[in-house]
Amino acid sequence: MGDDVQAGVSAPAVDEGGSRIRRRVSIRKRNRPSLEGIFAAPTAAALSSGDEEEEEEMAESRRRKTVNVQPVEHNDSEEDMFGDYDSFAENSFLAQVDDLEQKYMQLPEHGKHSTDFATEDLCSKSIKNNLSMTTVGDFIELKTDEHTENQSGHEDVTVAQEADLLYDVPSSQVLYFENLQNSLNSFGDQSAKERDQNSTSHKTVNEELPYHRIEQPQENDELSSEAKISSDKNRRKSVKDHLKSAMTGNAKAQTPVFSRSKQLKENLLSEEINVAKKTIESSSDDRGPFYSLPSKVRDLYVQFKGIEKLYEWQHTCLTLNSVQERKNLIYSLPTSGGKTLVAEILMLQELLCRRKDVLMILPYVAIVQEKISGLSNFGIELGFFVEEYAGSKGRFPPIKRREKKSLYIATIEKGHSLVNSLIENERISSLGLVVVDELHMIGEGSRGAILEMTLAKVLYTSKTTQIIGMSATLNNVEDLQEFLQAEYYTSQFRPVELKEYLKINDTIYEVDSKAENGMTFSRLLDYKYSDALKKMDPDHLVALVTEVIPNYSCLVFCPSKKNCENVAEMICKFLSKEYLKQREKEKQELIKNLKHIGNGHLCPVLKRTVPFGVAYHHSGLTSDERKLLEEAYSTGVLCLFTCTSTLAAGVNLPARRVILRAPYVAKEFLKRNQYKQMIGRAGRAGIDTVGESILILQEKDRQQVSALISRPLENCYSQLIQEFTKGIHTLFLSLIGLKIATNLGDIFHFMNGTFFGVQQKILLKEKSLWEVTVESLRYLTEKGLLQKDINDKSEEEFQCAFRITKLGRASFKGTIDLAYCDTLYKDLKKGLEGLVLENLLHLVYLTTPYDLVSQCVPDWMIYFRQLSQLSPAEQNVATLLGVSESFIGRKVSGQAIRKKVDKDIVNRLYLSFVLYTLLKETNVWSVSEKFNMPRGYIQNLLTGAASFSSCVLHFCEELEEFWVYRALLVELTKKLTYCVKAELIPLMEVTGVLEGRAKQLYSAGYKSLTHLANASPEVLIRTIDHLSRRQAKQIVSSAKMLLQEKAEALQEEVDELLRLPSDFPGVAASSLEKA
């Protein structure tokens, strides 16, 4: 695979002339297929010891003669690639070559007269300028060898005039010389013996271009000034014949006859576009320095990610015809196979070669932020923007940039909003590529429905946008292929071999599909257990874990969050004191850092487990804690994580051994997809030689587990119909709102092209797709979100047109769940009657997410305490909402309540108290203690509120009556997003900078985005505690990227203000006159 990465390295300049040519065309340099796959380059003929000045005169004479040659009247080739050297006339260069050749062939076979020495020199010169031919697209190029080997001991002669000779040759021909040099260099190293043996003529048919037969001129035996020249005609074919043959071959592609000047003008305007297009669409394996990208990209991968070689499957996938023809593609490989790298290279091709924007959709906010940190460096070095669309971040519509292109990295929900925005502004064609990671999520609940809607809209509205989906767990790929109109590529490649084991009691079995019951005996656990240990650890976890830690890493997946913490503590109780000495100083630093970001608070479980190199990992951690623990695990400070299944689908944290504590996720039995994702974390590429997974099971689960390890992956099914309000209803509302489809027939046609449409026979048993479409439109009309177009006079139901109402537009613009849109409207309307602005409580209540309310179970004692501590103005909010202190008091004492109170309002106000307290104190730990809630839950509530606040803002922007909320919600959204003191917000805009880090940076004097963008990573490491070099570089690069984005946005605004409007009266009149 080394060759794959090395493919197409730029040839070094062969002389000053070569470099001058390169400078001339460097601004439009393009990539071409390598010659290596087409034919072997000939060695240059050796020069006899002639006079260098005489050679220069001959070159000059040849140039004078050939430059003034009249072109032939009819040129049938598609593009004139020979400049002024393509004439068959008598005084042409070919004629000169023929004359020289005739004289040369007349020389005596066994000797030469001294008077013929000049003739020999001329012949040598002709042979030295050996003309080799290759193809680019549908035309043939001419190349003059620049070096010869001097067998007589003289130094190599460099023909300086050659640069001048080539200077007037079309640039598409000149540029190709660099690639040819690669081939020449590779052959230059061959021994004289090998060249002798291979001096017979070569003829190769270019497989990719069946209409062009490319003949290879024979390699000439090396000539010496005193050597004898063989006259065997079979060993040497006429150069003229070759040239004639090649040029005649060009004439096969018939084109209309053009005047010479017109043709040259057209060549000048179109050759770059044509060559670039043919190169990009070429099915050749070797497409340039690094898969049609600059060689700098390969260097950056080595520098930033340590990737020096691509895996074989990655090269195969990148060179698939379907990929190069820009067809949609789905590819599937096991976890840790290197799927993301292929997607990144394709994204860079789109950004740099085709100059189009790219959207990458990832499942979780944490992964979006990780990817932004990883790609910001590439954006800075290669000149494109990396923009975050997650949580409340993201601009709608995105800034329209004229120069640099943008890579949008988005969550599923934000990706959908972005596509809607581009369609609405008629900019969807600017999106060249959409990449979806974890494509199998299309079959998972409401998020799957949103992902399906996004892809269906892209397919329907833009025929030029390519879609690429990847996943480790796909089964019914045929349905997805039909939906996405995509090709499919799969491989079972894993960089590290994975061995699966099952453990029943103290016996370990290896999973073996060939065995009768799917498993074969492997070994017995040999670990001395005391009675106390047996009682505490009946599953022998300590034995399994100590086989690998602390020298290797280990993950233990547990069914629940509480179980994670218990298992971590239990393991540490039985680990020897030796574990405390492993990287002791770094672990103490980690504990200190955890305490620092918790404002003096430290989880008691982590305090006990971290010294042993053990920690738990689940959603109960704050994002600051999670980031610190993941960094410590990645660097080997921690060697064991006890975690929930969410880690398997989240950030990449591989291990030598993965243990599944039980075949359950919460109380549900493990699915095949979940199992594959968990065990896929076993084996770290470049570190481990093997990965192991051990599933612990009880005898009662044996039959189910046997089915689990042998059955295929679960099929994924469309969620549009299962998730009505977030699925099909939302889809129809946006289709009409965006004017993608406005009548019943068009909407039905659109639905047939969705994933749901592909699977309608499976998913629809009682109703047809037509009936579902009609019923859904009727529901939306009754709800006041749509109305029938009164201007539509069509009597046919099929042509019945709809238009969106103001409430409908606000709902789809704000991406509000249609189950709550009318409730939100009523709450905002009621809020206008007595909006309390003395504090934030009322606004916080209005932006508390509805979907979290149903999960809330208030602690009535805490509720009563909070309510009684409110100021008069704050109590006024509770009174307006209808929640009284007496009502809560009755709930605390357990008394019967006669007055009916809306349970949802009561629960929503309780969550509002949590958020309001958090905004005032900005300390997750103290709020966690005050409300007796997990700190991770509180942080998730805050993230959800920030996102919902952003949605409510967009909702209000569409309804004139809610103008008063707009400015208020902009500020509230910012406060909820960062939940820190105002001075830290500019620092926290940088991806990867959370509250704890922002405080450190602010204290060290880095108080703005500009400070961070101009910081030195090395200085940051020295001045900021517990900051790794990788983190420092990511922070600086993310800050630079953000600063560039802001500067570019301001520049665009300035340009727009200074630009003469297209509808300016004078401009419009003059354009009409010209027309």
Side-chain angles (χ1 to χ4, degrees), residues 163-219:
D164 297 325
L165 178 67
L166 294 173
Y167 197 84
D168 292 320
V169 176
S171 61
S172 48
Q173 186 177 340
V174 175
L175 277 173
Y176 203 53
F177 293 173
E178 289 184 3
N179 287 357
L180 279 169
Q181 188 62 28
N182 288 335
S183 301
L184 293 173
N185 289 343
S186 65
F187 277 83
D189 294 337
Q190 290 181 330
S191 66
K193 184 178 177 181
E194 286 173 326
R195 276 176 287 189
D196 260 352
Q197 289 170 349
N198 292 305
S199 62
T200 54
S201 64
H202 298 281
K203 293 184 181 180
T204 308
V205 176
N206 185 339
E207 293 175 1
E208 306 298 339
L209 301 167
Y211 300 108
H212 294 282
R213 182 176 179 88
I214 301 144
E215 294 190 349
Q216 170 73 15
Q218 284 182 338
E219 293 185 15

Side-chain angles (χ1 to χ4, degrees), residues 884-899:
S884 65
E885 199 172 333
S886 61
F887 169 78
I888 303 298
R890 286 175 180 276
K891 292 292 281 184
V892 170
S893 59
Q895 294 178 31
I897 298 164
R898 293 170 193 167
K899 187 182 176 183

Side-chain angles (χ1 to χ4, degrees), residues 548-574:
V548 286
I549 67 168
N551 297 324
Y552 299 99
S553 56
C554 182
L555 295 175
V556 179
F557 284 102
C558 303
S560 67
K561 287 185 276 191
K562 190 63 187 168
N563 193 231
C564 286
E565 296 176 30
N566 292 340
V567 167
E569 286 208 275
M570 182 273 291
I571 288 171
C572 289
K573 279 179 184 174
F574 296 101

Side-chain angles (χ1 to χ4, degrees), residues 1006 1008-1016 1035-1037 1039-1041 1043:
Y1006 298 97
S1008 69
L1009 182 63
T1010 313
H1011 285 160
L1012 275 186
N1014 289 289
S1016 160
I1035 287 171
V1036 173
S1037 63
K1040 281 181 180 174
M1041 177 59 67
L1043 195 65

Side-chain angles (χ1 to χ4, degrees), residues 856-907:
C856 175
V857 181
D859 183 315
W860 298 111
M861 193 64 227
I862 293 171
Y863 205 150
F864 183 77
R865 194 184 304 130
Q866 287 296 315
L867 203 59
S868 61
Q869 290 172 358
L870 295 177
S871 68
E874 291 164 346
Q875 282 181 344
N876 191 23
V877 176
T879 305
L880 281 168
L881 296 171
V883 180
S884 65
E885 199 172 333
S886 61
F887 169 78
I888 303 298
R890 286 175 180 276
K891 292 292 281 184
V892 170
S893 59
Q895 294 178 31
I897 298 164
R898 293 170 193 167
K899 187 182 176 183
K900 192 177 180 183
V901 178
D902 190 327
K903 181 189 170 187
D904 287 342
I905 291 176
V906 174
N907 288 2

